[in-house]
Amino acid sequence: MTGQNVIAALAADGADVDRLVADLPADQWTRPTPAPRWTVAHQVAHLAATFRMAAMAAGQPDAFRQLLAHLNEDFSGNVERAMAPYLAEEPAMLLRRFREERIAAETALTAVPEGQVVPWLVRPIPAPVLAMAGMMELFGHGQDIADGLGVTRSHSDRLRYLCEFAVRVWDFGYISRGLATPEVSLGFDLIAPSGAPWQLGAADATERISGPAVDFCLLVTRRRHRDDLALEATGAVAEGWLDIAQAYRGPAGEGRRPGQFSPAASRS
């Protein structure tokens, strides 16, 4: 994994989400998405706010630390305040600001020297890992937009970076629920969109998750219920992990209901 490759993948994923809304009529920005009370505009505003923070973390770390110092323990409130300036904009300007924040984040991440960490919400992380976190945000909120608009997405093997990120933070589901993380290692046997096999995590682990990489990403972003995905678990810990998996810190949210989306649509 090189930083430049990951950031190029981040830019490509951002462009994919951009295409979902680039030609969207203004009245369609208020369409609801599967996230309760969030419209298409909310999804784009959240992404814009996230990229703004990433650009600040990579390019202005002291300012980012000051921003963190002013956040409180009200996670939802912090998210709403970050989105508010973007939601106040008309759709055309919101789209423009989304693009500007993405470019700023990509530029700032590219300028971080190799091996140098940047501050982030939980702990300092390398710039390529922050780019992978950005890909996770784009995947999850992009899926919400696609679902709200009734659009079927296609995926490339760039998902490898998101899968690697989810494996890196496999304990987030336990942490967010105040649960002890099991003292075991998990292995992941995934099938890329291209059909290539990906083996991630502990190669010799007896506790394993297997299935399509797209389904794995839908699971860890909590955009599909496990019952609607072609993922299989080997071992009791792996079986329980499928119920709580998430690749982001903070509240798990309501997730999605079993049967809310067809398995065929999930894997398209």
Side-chain angles (χ1 to χ4, degrees):
M1 176 184 73
T2 69
Q4 297 304 312
N5 287 345
V6 180
I7 296 167
L10 173 69
D13 280 3
D16 281 349
V17 173
D18 192 300
R19 282 189 284 270
L20 289 172
V21 296
D23 298 319
L24 197 63
D27 62 347
Q28 295 296 297
W29 285 71
T30 58
R31 288 187 63 161
T33 66
R37 300 173 297 281
W38 277 35
T39 64
V40 171
H42 283 83
Q43 302 289 349
V44 176
H46 177 73
L47 287 170
T50 300
F51 277 101
R52 175 180 178 271
M53 288 194 299
M56 187 182 298
Q60 301 173 285
D62 290 340
F64 180 79
R65 294 186 187 96
Q66 292 179 4
L67 174 66
L68 284 186
H70 288 89
L71 299 181
N72 56 42
E73 295 184 0
D74 180 6
F75 182 87
S76 296
N78 291 331
V79 170
E80 290 174 2
R81 283 188 290 275
M83 291 194 303
Y86 299 99
L87 287 173
E89 304 283 10
E90 294 297 323
M93 182 55 69
L94 172 54
L95 178 59
R96 177 179 174 179
R97 295 191 66 185
F98 170 51
R99 290 169 172 168
E100 291 173 345
E101 302 295 12
R102 281 167 35 220
I103 292 172
E106 293 157 11
T107 301
L109 287 166
T110 299
V112 176
E114 185 175 355
Q116 180 175 309
V117 298
V118 299
W120 195 236
L121 302 176
V122 179
R123 56 182 176 268
I125 57 177
V129 177
L130 181 51
M132 293 160 76
M135 295 178 72
M136 182 270 297
E137 294 284 345
L138 286 165
F139 182 94
H141 294 285
Q143 187 62 50
D144 287 338
I145 294 169
D147 288 335
L149 298 176
V151 174
T152 299
R153 304 174 78 192
S154 60
H155 298 284
S156 75
D157 282 9
R158 292 194 305 270
L159 284 185
R160 171 80 183 226
Y161 294 121
L162 172 49
C163 293
E164 290 178 355
F165 179 76
V167 170
R168 175 186 287 262
V169 300
W170 76 278
D171 58 342
F172 276 9
Y174 299 100
I175 295 171
S176 70
R177 294 166 176 80
L179 303 173
T181 302
E183 295 184 2
V184 301
S185 297
L186 292 183
F188 302 85
D189 303 302
L190 306 176
I191 303 300
S194 66
W198 292 341
Q199 187 178 81
L200 304 175
D204 60 349
T206 57
E207 299 278 347
R208 308 195 70 82
I209 304 294
S210 61
V214 174
D215 285 24
F216 180 73
C217 293
L218 288 165
L219 178 82
V220 298
T221 55
R222 295 180 60 79
R223 264 50 186 191
R224 294 291 186 269
H225 192 275
R226 61 169 292 183
D227 290 355
D228 295 331
L229 300 171
L231 296 172
E232 297 182 359
T234 300
V237 173
E239 180 69 31
W241 185 84
L242 287 178
D243 289 325
I244 65 170
Q246 66 182 74
Y248 53 91
R249 284 293 296 268
E254 298 180 24
R256 304 292 177 260
R257 303 183 304 277
Q260 186 174 355
F261 301 95
S262 70
S266 297
R267 290 191 291 276
S268 295

